[in-house]
Amino acid sequence: MRDFAALFETIDQSTKTTNKVKALARYFQEADPQDRLWTIALFSGRRPKRAVTTAKLREWGAEAASIPLWLFEECYPVVGDLAETIALILPSNSTTNTDSLSLWIRSLRNMNNVEEPTQKNFILNAWAQLGGTERFVFNKLITGGMRVGVSQKLMTRALAQATGRSEAELAHRLMGNWHPDDTTWHELVEAEDASADASRPYPFHLAHALEDGPEGLDDPANWRAEWKWDGIRGQLILRGGTHFVWSRGEELMTDRFPELARAVDDLPDGTVLDGELLVWRTAKPTPESFNTLQPRIGRKTVPRKLLKDAPVVLHAYDLLEWQGEDIRHLPFAQRRDLLETACAGLPPEAAVKLSPQLPFTALNDLHRYRDRARSAQAEGLMLKRADSPYLAGRKKGDWWKWKLAPLTIDAVMIYAQAGSGRRATLFTDYTFAVWDGDALVTFTKAYSGLTDKEFREITAWVRKNTLQRFGPVRQVAPHHVFEIAFEGIQASPRHKSGIALRFPRMLRWRHDKPMSEANTLDDLKELLRLYG
Amino acid sequence: MSRDPVLTFTPAGIYCPAGDFYIDPWRRVDRALITHGHSDHARWGMGHYLATHEALPVIRHRLGDISAEGITYAEERMIGGAKVSFHPAGHVPGSAQIRVEVAGEVWVASGDYKVIDDGLSTPFEPVRCHHFITESTFGLPVFRWEPQSVIAAQINDWWRTCAAQGKTAVLGAYSLGKAQRLMSMLDPSIGPVLCHAAIESTNAVMRAQGIRLPDTVLAHKDITAKTHPAAMVIAPPSALGSTWTKRFGPQETGFASGWMAMRGVRRRRAGDRGFVISDHADWTGLLSAIKNTGAENIYVTHGYTDNFTRYLNDSDWTAQVVPTQFEGENLDSAGSEGE
């Protein structure tokens, strides 16, 4: 565990990518192969099966620290991370245990099927034998989410340095459904047959945001345009007579979207599609809003009624594998032709649809499309170079997303609450209100969009202008106006204002606006009428 | 029978009716007793100041021409009907807890304090009392400080590594107290210690009053990585990442504060390294200090007041949060300097 904790510390402390890559690459060369494998797994969000519930961890943590549970629960939101909270509240000690990372993981796994007293004993012992970062890392093995600023890109770069293999190949190898329990370092990284797993998806090609509009692009003839759908990006894999659905976050979603099972009959084996999962009811001209899709995301199994109310289709916009061949190297225009061929014979009730391209000849046509995007239930346009290969990750130049300007409203801050984790010492979470006659009614919270400097300024102001405290929440003097941006608006009986916003954030602090000039509830209702 | 309490909490600060004076007031008053020189305790504009002899030079340095008088630790003095004495708080050199006794009832306003010996400040002394006013800047059990020697080793290791790589180590620390404490923890065999002007001027004041500090060099504009290789630079946090540090060439930055205990804060504020060291008491320090006063009534003035107060009440003290417009030191509040 010592080596891994040291690696974790180096990466965690470093702000420079090159240093992180260097430390990782060295670890991938020097560490025990089983530890390396687990390191890749942990940094890509995989973790050992949870041996102990977090409820038990809290209870035992509080007990080991000799503090009441309520106090533990108060510490947790301040720190923002359960594993770290426990590591901090326990009296400090130095590490006396020299077991390797994978040995610890094996011991943890053995805790899955034992009685609670044995589990407790094991955990308390571990806490007593591990200090500092190692204790934190141990807790993270249980709670998961070892986020440490290691992106997939960074990890593949380090692996490439350590093994001499190409980043693209490694990125593909690390995708999908593998788990350290079922593979080895050699199999995952080095073995020649990397396609053994039929479910393995390709890394997604991601677009950069086009901030200033399409005027900077070269000849329009080199570009293709599509709607940017507001659904879930998904990869549909048809191999070996069965199908798999992957999210962009590399989550296997096959069971959540049973509608797609019939694709096995509608399309030939050896096909991989990239597209958008949308709720789209038969004979409707546009898909439903993202809110309708939302209940489908959380459900691992789908009740029949929901299946009927919110039927999902995959709008395919790219073809990555055709007749069992990886065709990502082909130009987009050519992949698109093949995609159209593949979709030509689809019956009308198929769950896969061809996502249309938007014909245009001049840049001005693109502006017109974008102006209509909201009524098409799209969140903007995608612009793709006709000759672009399908790349792995976010690459600049070939694919652009040109999003709609968000909806905005000017609102008054009336409550503030301290953030957690990196923002524990700042007031960063605000509640906003608009005018309803002479009264201010709350309608949303927002946490992001300001600079650290602005958050510090507001924090100092909140301290001096607190009217009343409700636990961690401060009611502040209504004074500051913020422009709140959001992507969507809908009626919501759960909110006092009757309105729920999608992705609300602070676009800017309106120093120039007195609070009397903030927007009104009627303004919000008008937005709801137009866009809800 | 209604008698004035010995100390009360007013919009101007902590007030003693029997002696007609304030402790660390934040509005202009005639007579102010000052626990220590940090700007949120020693403010400008009071008619008359009383502080320890050790604290006064810095207070004068910061506030200019003031009417002020010094007092020795433990010296008893009658102010009106109140018997007043100052006792070491261990926060920074010269810092004091102020004991006020009226008709046999004893209150202690502790200002800011830490209970461990930092090797520089006169160590904290528990003062028996009936009513104890405490801060709770770090009043959550997630804050537990390592011994100073452990942190010293961490800082010196970091400095040594920087020096070996041809880099300057730039360490952010508040200019009164923390900076001098860190200086005294450094291993002078590694390289020269350079101080930002704001810190060096405080050093000069302290040296003049007889406090022994290690040798340092004022980092004026001609002092660079070339003239002073392998240096440790100590600067106020505001100077970190500014153009001021450019002259020191390739460098790493660190930040020394109790807030660095939290990984998130460390990642946001520390630059390359965060060192967990504070001039405030940690969770166990607060509790032991309170216990050793023997007081039954505890007033919690700032920090994690709600939770700390609840914990004390659960543990058989009678504790309350003192409403205050002055919220003490927080990493991100404007003008904070104690932490």
Side-chain angles (χ1 to χ4, degrees):
Chain A
M1 191 85 107
R2 186 157 299 180
D3 300 346
F4 180 74
L7 171 70
F8 183 94
E9 233 169 63
T10 309
I11 295 172
D12 201 33
Q13 277 167 7
S14 180
T15 46
K16 296 177 188 75
T17 311
T18 48
N19 291 348
K20 294 185 191 187
V21 172
K22 212 158 70 186
L24 259 176
R26 194 167 57 228
Y27 184 87
F28 285 138
Q29 282 169 330
E30 293 171 0
D32 167 77
Q34 195 63 19
D35 284 2
R36 295 180 214 166
L37 182 67
W38 265 110
T39 299
I40 300 175
L42 293 168
F43 287 168
S44 58
R46 291 165 178 83
R47 62 151 194 242
K49 188 165 175 247
R50 181 170 289 171
V52 181
T53 64
T54 53
K56 287 291 164 207
L57 277 185
R58 293 164 192 227
E59 190 188 313
W60 299 338
E63 188 188 315
S66 315
I67 59 166
L69 191 59
W70 69 261
L71 184 55
F72 181 90
E73 300 294 354
E74 293 290 339
C75 290
Y76 179 22
V78 172
V79 177
D81 180 285
L82 182 62
E84 190 188 349
T85 307
I86 295 173
L88 288 174
I89 55 161
L90 297 171
S92 70
N93 50 256
S94 43
T95 301
T96 53
N97 179 296
T98 57
D99 289 353
S100 72
L101 172 68
S102 29
L103 200 59
W104 270 109
I105 289 169
R106 208 172 314 149
S107 315
L108 253 181
R109 192 170 32 205
N110 292 339
M111 289 301 116
N112 265 311
N113 302 310
V114 300
E115 299 290 310
E116 196 184 299
T118 317
Q119 289 185 339
K120 183 177 176 183
N121 199 25
F122 171 78
I123 299 286
L124 293 182
N125 259 325
W127 287 338
Q129 291 174 46
L130 298 169
T133 307
E134 285 160 276
R135 185 151 71 191
F136 169 65
V137 165
F138 169 78
N139 292 341
K140 272 282 179 200
L141 291 179
I142 307 174
T143 61
M146 189 91 65
R147 267 192 300 267
V148 67
V150 177
S151 60
Q152 200 75 353
K153 198 169 169 181
L154 203 145
M155 185 147 65
T156 48
R157 196 182 307 166
L159 272 173
Q161 274 185 20
T163 63
R165 288 170 185 273
S166 84
E167 286 181 43
E169 183 206 337
L170 288 162
H172 189 200
R173 279 171 177 269
L174 299 190
M175 292 292 286
N177 212 9
W178 66 274
H179 194 273
D181 289 346
D182 319 316
T183 186
T184 63
W185 162 267
H186 176 74
E187 226 174 76
L188 183 72
V189 177
E190 297 168 340
E192 284 317 312
D193 183 17
S195 60
D197 180 6
S199 75
R200 179 179 290 169
Y202 294 103
F204 284 82
H205 186 180
L206 306 176
H208 268 275
L210 193 64
E211 304 293 355
D212 306 324
E215 277 66 25
L217 302 180
D218 58 0
D219 188 350
N222 293 337
W223 294 87
R224 300 284 181 270
E226 302 164 4
W227 291 126
K228 183 181 185 326
W229 297 116
D230 187 14
I232 308 171
R233 183 95 179 263
Q235 199 175 115
L236 174 64
I237 294 175
L238 304 168
R239 288 181 194 138
T242 183
H243 79 292
F244 306 92
V245 185
W246 289 95
S247 76
R248 218 195 83 188
E250 273 187 71
E251 202 181 346
L252 195 55
M253 308 186 293
T254 315
D255 296 340
R256 295 182 195 192
F257 303 104
E259 295 99 328
L260 295 176
R262 59 167 296 161
V264 179
D265 301 323
D266 295 334
L267 286 160
D269 204 54
T271 301
V272 176
L273 298 168
D274 181 10
E276 197 91 354
L277 294 158
L278 297 163
V279 171
W280 204 319
R281 296 185 182 128
T282 321
K284 283 285 184 83
T286 62
E288 302 301 315
S289 75
F290 186 83
N291 300 309
T292 321
L293 183 59
Q294 201 113 42
R296 292 292 304 267
I297 302 170
R299 311 293 295 242
K300 295 232 163 152
T301 54
V302 198
R304 186 170 305 177
K305 182 167 185 316
L306 187 57
L307 210 52
K308 195 164 150 272
D309 291 349
V312 164
V313 297
L314 179 83
H315 260 241
Y317 37 65
D318 213 327
L319 184 66
L320 313 185
E321 188 174 306
W322 181 237
Q323 295 171 340
E325 294 283 329
D326 177 358
I327 59 163
R328 293 175 298 157
H329 60 280
L330 295 180
F332 176 61
Q334 219 170 318
R335 297 199 307 277
R336 175 76 199 187
D337 288 345
L338 288 170
L339 177 68
E340 288 180 11
T341 310
C343 293
L346 287 173
E349 69 278 14
V352 173
K353 313 270 183 208
L354 180 68
S355 188
Q357 292 207 318
L358 307 171
F360 69 99
T361 48
L363 294 175
N364 213 16
D365 300 337
L366 292 175
H367 283 278
R368 274 205 295 277
Y369 279 122
R370 185 168 175 264
D371 293 341
R372 277 170 34 207
R374 227 183 274 276
S375 57
Q377 283 288 357
E379 50 175 12
L381 294 184
M382 290 297 302
L383 302 171
K384 299 175 177 175
R385 267 196 89 90
D387 62 0
S388 60
Y390 191 93
L391 301 169
R394 203 178 296 282
K395 298 276 160 46
K396 215 160 196 160
D398 285 346
W399 284 22
W400 297 99
K401 52 182 175 189
W402 186 27
K403 289 180 69 161
L404 284 170
L407 300 168
T408 64
I409 198 141
D410 291 329
V412 184
M413 171 170 96
I414 59 173
Y415 296 105
Q417 189 172 355
S420 67
R422 53 182 253 117
R423 316 203 306 183
T425 56
L426 294 170
F427 285 97
T428 57
D429 304 358
Y430 311 137
T431 303
F432 293 97
V434 284
W435 291 108
D436 182 15
D438 290 342
L440 283 165
V441 288
T442 61
F443 69 103
T444 192
K445 287 184 176 190
Y447 317 92
S448 63
L450 300 184
T451 62
D452 256 14
K453 187 168 163 282
E454 286 173 317
F455 276 131
R456 281 208 289 276
E457 220 175 296
I458 294 171
T459 295
W461 182 87
V462 166
R463 288 170 176 281
K464 291 199 202 80
N465 293 277
T466 298
L467 301 179
Q468 218 179 333
R469 293 180 179 211
F470 305 95
V473 178
R474 308 284 189 100
Q475 183 184 3
V476 296
H479 178 73
H480 289 300
V481 177
F482 291 82
E483 186 174 354
I484 307 296
F486 49 99
E487 299 301 319
I489 182 168
Q490 65 159 341
S492 163
R494 288 190 298 124
H495 292 76
K496 217 192 274 176
S497 59
I499 281 165
L501 304 183
R502 176 142 190 255
F503 291 149
R505 72 259 182 199
M506 291 168 269
L507 198 59
R508 78 192 108 177
W509 185 356
R510 297 296 305 258
H511 292 280
D512 56 319
K513 273 210 169 177
M515 68 165 174
S516 57
E517 287 178 25
N519 282 104
T520 63
L521 189 58
D522 284 342
D523 297 337
L524 257 185
K525 285 181 177 159
E526 179 62 8
L527 288 177
L528 179 66
R529 194 182 64 78
L530 289 171
Y531 304 112
Chain B
M1 178 193 107
S2 100
R3 202 186 66 187
D4 279 336
V6 175
L7 295 178
T8 64
F9 302 94
T10 75
I14 302 172
Y15 178 64
C16 174
D20 190 23
F21 60 79
Y22 288 83
I23 297 174
D24 292 350
W26 49 81
R27 292 189 190 162
R28 287 176 169 216
V29 300
D30 282 345
R31 184 183 267 275
L33 276 56
I34 303 295
T35 57
H36 64 287
H38 280 145
S39 58
D40 40 8
H41 293 261
R43 287 161 193 254
W44 188 81
M46 310 302 157
H48 184 78
Y49 293 80
L50 179 64
T52 66
H53 292 298
E54 289 84 345
L56 259 190
V58 166
I59 294 173
R60 287 188 192 279
H61 170 69
R62 293 183 151 208
L63 301 184
D65 188 19
I66 54 170
S67 158
E69 191 182 352
I71 185 168
T72 308
Y73 283 127
E75 174 189 336
E76 289 182 353
R77 185 173 298 197
M78 290 304 294
I79 303 178
K83 184 157 78 180
V84 171
S85 54
F86 286 53
H87 304 268
H91 178 57
V92 297
S95 68
Q97 316 173 66
I98 298 177
R99 180 188 188 276
V100 183
E101 180 179 344
V102 178
E105 185 174 302
V106 180
W107 288 57
V108 170
S110 57
D112 293 337
Y113 65 91
K114 67 174 178 287
V115 295
I116 58 146
D117 182 359
D118 64 11
L120 196 64
S121 316
T122 312
F124 178 88
E125 280 174 20
V127 181
R128 305 289 293 180
C129 58
H130 304 106
H131 299 258
F132 187 61
I133 304 169
T134 183
E135 54 139 326
S136 68
T137 305
F138 292 108
L140 284 181
V142 293
F143 300 106
R144 293 173 189 268
W145 311 146
E146 300 256 23
Q148 181 160 318
S149 58
V150 172
I151 308 300
Q154 286 174 2
I155 296 175
N156 284 317
D157 283 350
W158 172 63
W159 183 13
R160 218 171 273 121
T161 310
C162 286
Q165 295 173 346
K167 292 181 191 166
T168 305
V170 182
L171 185 56
Y174 297 103
S175 47
L176 169 55
K178 182 71 69 63
Q180 291 75 29
R181 181 180 177 195
L182 291 169
M183 282 158 40
S184 67
M185 290 161 58
L186 294 173
D187 175 356
S189 73
I190 302 172
V193 178
L194 316 179
C195 286
H196 185 275
I199 290 171
E200 193 57 27
S201 63
T202 306
N203 294 349
V205 174
M206 288 192 182
R207 286 188 181 109
Q209 71 185 90
I211 296 175
R212 286 192 51 188
L213 297 176
D215 292 340
T216 54
V217 178
L218 170 64
H220 60 73
K221 65 179 173 33
D222 298 331
I223 304 278
T224 65
K226 287 214 173 66
T227 63
H228 290 74
M232 165 72 80
V233 177
I234 302 184
S238 57
L240 260 54
S242 74
T243 51
W244 182 83
T245 62
K246 283 224 171 80
R247 72 186 83 159
F248 304 111
Q251 58 192 264
E252 286 196 13
T253 57
F255 191 15
S257 159
W259 295 108
M260 294 298 124
M262 284 191 281
R263 179 171 166 244
V265 181
R266 208 157 59 227
R267 284 165 65 85
R268 181 165 60 85
R269 288 297 299 274
D272 299 298
R273 289 296 297 272
F275 299 101
V276 187
I277 182 167
S278 177
D279 287 325
H280 293 265
D282 66 355
W283 171 255
T284 41
L286 290 169
L287 291 179
S288 77
I290 289 169
K291 204 170 180 179
N292 288 331
T293 62
E296 279 173 15
N297 301 290
I298 312 297
Y299 306 84
V300 184
T301 53
H302 52 259
Y304 293 99
T305 48
D306 294 347
N307 291 318
F308 193 60
T309 302
R310 180 175 165 194
Y311 181 82
L312 292 176
N313 283 320
D314 281 2
S315 315
D316 292 333
W317 276 284
T318 305
Q320 55 183 285
V321 179
V322 176
T324 167
Q325 66 182 76
F326 152 62
E327 294 218 21
E329 293 118 22
N330 178 301
L331 181 68
D332 291 304
S333 52
S336 84
E337 60 168 2
E339 199 12 76

